[in-house]
Amino acid sequence: MNVVITGGAGFLGSHLCDYLIEKGHFIICVDNFITGNEKNIEHLRENKSFKFINHNVSQYIDIGDDVDAVLHFASPASPVDYLTFPIQTLKVGSLGTLHSLGVAKSKKAKFLLASTSEVYGDPQVRPQTEDYWGHVNPVGPRGVYDEAKRFAEAMTMAYLRYHDVDTKIVRIFNTYGTRMRVNDGRAVPNFLSQAIKGEDITVYGEGEQTRSFCYVSDLVDGIYRLLMSELHDPVNIGNPEELTVMELAKEIIEITGSKSKIVCKELPTDDPKVRQPDITRAKNLLGWSPKVDRADGLRRTLEYFKSAI
Ligand code: NAD
Ligand code: UDP
């Protein structure tokens, strides 16, 4: 397949580029580096199965080649990033999704949207199944990301229903791994880099909020299975093993052997109190479940961070 990946120079997008090239596909990576990193795709620049277009997908996207699939991954994803770029986040979730769907429609290609567990907001059920409608504050600071992704899902379903585009929606839960930016602000990169440097580990609030962390190779495998499936309804992909943020901080101190101390900082507004994917749908319909346990995934990520710092 000829596959367009928007946001292909980011953390997840660049791993998808590698994975799909390995499977024999040709990649057209479209990115404007707002939160991405040229280094993530440096090793692919000379690859005959890879082409790069430097472009902001919130503007019209012009692709000359035939296209069989469009994977729309462009969007700031770390809370620090989307609070720094709130308007760009709203634009890429709305206009960027519209333009990416437009490419899929005109090329008669499949379309896969990178959505997020944030569509569930600060959830009142646990674990979160795909039929939960969510609990989102539209006017809070996180609304720029959550509502953009909710709009993107609605737009994707409209292109399925009214334009017959073969669409898929993956709801990605917290994913970590190599190529995350050291300063991207999310919990795993913050804690790992603080532990490596011997700085205080900054736990927000009392650290009682929960998350469930999926290693990037598992996520990419799940996304590929969804892309090749006949499904159109949203599918959660994430690791259901839930822990508190305080437990994560302690685990990272143990794995790194760091002397860093844990300090509590103010909890960001609307920070979800719980998050755990129900992955029954992915298990039953895609035959997918995560394989990499957290200790292993964190060690692999630690090696990357040691070399990146
Ligand atoms: P990232 O910031 O590393 O990657 C996003 C990429 O999109 C970057 O390379 C950035 O430069 C690019 N981009 C952003 N706006 C753009 C625009 N207007 N035009 C062109 N390129 C643009 O983040 P990530 O963690 O790799 O996330 C990728 C996607 O997955 C996002 O859509 C995000 O919402 C979704 N997601 C990620 C997670 C996670 O845990 N990593 C969880 C849920 C959803
Ligand atoms: N967090 C934290 N310290 C940090 C960064 C994040 O305690 O230095 C917390 C954050 O408040 C949230 C959880 O860790 O409760 C996961 O945050 P992340 O930014 O990784 O992603 P989110 O799940 O909020 O999208």
Side-chain angles (χ1 to χ4, degrees):
M1 293 193 293
N2 283 356
V3 183
V4 171
I5 305 184
T6 75
F11 160 49
L12 297 182
S14 65
H15 281 284
L16 270 170
C17 290
D18 287 347
Y19 188 90
L20 289 166
I21 287 174
E22 187 67 31
K23 292 266 181 204
H25 303 292
F26 180 82
I27 305 301
I28 303 163
C29 168
V30 188
D31 204 298
N32 66 351
F33 297 119
I34 184 171
T35 57
N37 187 349
E38 286 201 51
K39 285 214 173 90
N40 290 342
I41 51 167
E42 218 167 41
H43 62 291
L44 295 174
R45 289 289 191 154
E46 304 299 318
N47 193 311
K48 290 200 169 49
S49 299
F50 182 81
K51 176 171 173 175
F52 178 71
I53 301 175
N54 190 334
H55 179 68
N56 176 357
V57 298
S58 298
Q59 287 162 13
Y60 183 82
I61 308 169
D62 192 9
I63 308 277
D65 308 80
D66 289 343
V67 177
D68 303 293
V70 178
L71 277 57
H72 181 40
F73 276 68
S75 171
S78 154
V80 170
D81 287 339
Y82 60 72
L83 297 177
T84 309
F85 302 113
I87 313 287
Q88 292 92 330
T89 301
L90 281 159
K91 280 186 166 177
V92 76
S94 53
L95 301 174
T97 303
L98 175 68
H99 296 140
S100 303
L101 278 162
V103 173
K105 177 174 171 254
S106 69
K107 303 282 183 179
K108 301 195 177 358
K110 304 186 206 211
F111 178 84
L112 185 144
L113 172 70
S115 186
T116 166
S117 51
E118 283 279 328
V119 299
Y120 303 124
D122 185 6
Q124 292 168 309
V125 302
R126 168 157 156 258
Q128 293 84 50
T129 51
E130 289 89 347
D131 55 11
Y132 178 55
W133 290 356
H135 181 232
V136 172
N137 175 4
V139 295
R142 293 175 91 100
V144 298
Y145 182 68
D146 302 11
E147 295 296 3
K149 290 289 185 180
R150 289 167 68 96
F151 176 91
E153 287 200 6
M155 178 71 87
T156 300
M157 292 309 288
Y159 268 64
L160 167 74
R161 292 184 180 120
Y162 304 106
H163 288 315
D164 232 3
V165 176
D166 178 8
T167 64
K168 288 109 196 5
I169 296 174
V170 56
R171 290 189 180 147
I172 302 169
F173 282 64
N174 296 64
T175 301
Y176 69 100
T178 58
R179 299 192 191 148
M180 287 186 106
R181 290 188 344 265
V182 171
N183 62 349
D184 112 345
R186 286 179 269 194
V188 171
N190 269 9
F191 294 174
L192 277 176
S193 53
Q194 289 161 345
I196 292 168
K197 293 182 197 159
E199 294 171 355
D200 289 346
I201 308 259
T202 55
V203 165
Y204 300 156
E206 303 293 310
E208 281 164 9
Q209 66 275 33
T210 68
R211 293 294 186 275
S212 316
F213 295 93
C214 183
Y215 191 65
V216 62
S217 57
D218 280 332
L219 181 91
V220 164
D221 172 40
I223 288 171
Y224 190 65
R225 285 169 191 250
L226 177 60
L227 180 69
M228 302 314 263
S229 78
E230 301 297 315
L231 300 184
H232 301 300
D233 288 334
V235 179
N236 290 339
I237 299 281
N239 191 320
E241 206 182 307
E242 188 182 25
L243 79 169
T244 67
V245 168
M246 184 60 84
E247 285 167 336
L248 175 72
K250 288 182 180 161
E251 239 178 62
I252 288 185
I253 289 181
E254 199 181 310
I255 282 171
T256 53
S258 171
K259 298 205 161 39
S260 292
K261 293 193 310 294
I262 294 176
V263 296
C264 289
K265 300 263 178 189
E266 199 183 333
L267 187 68
T269 308
D270 296 337
D271 197 284
K273 286 182 262 319
V274 294
R275 183 177 292 153
Q276 182 190 33
D278 182 311
I279 58 164
T280 309
R281 191 176 282 181
K283 268 188 183 158
N284 291 347
L285 301 181
L286 302 176
W288 178 86
S289 56
K291 303 276 178 288
V292 181
D293 70 29
R294 206 169 45 248
D296 185 14
L298 285 175
R299 269 187 220 105
R300 294 191 211 180
T301 314
L302 171 64
E303 289 315 307
Y304 173 82
F305 272 73
K306 277 187 187 160
S307 63
I309 283 173

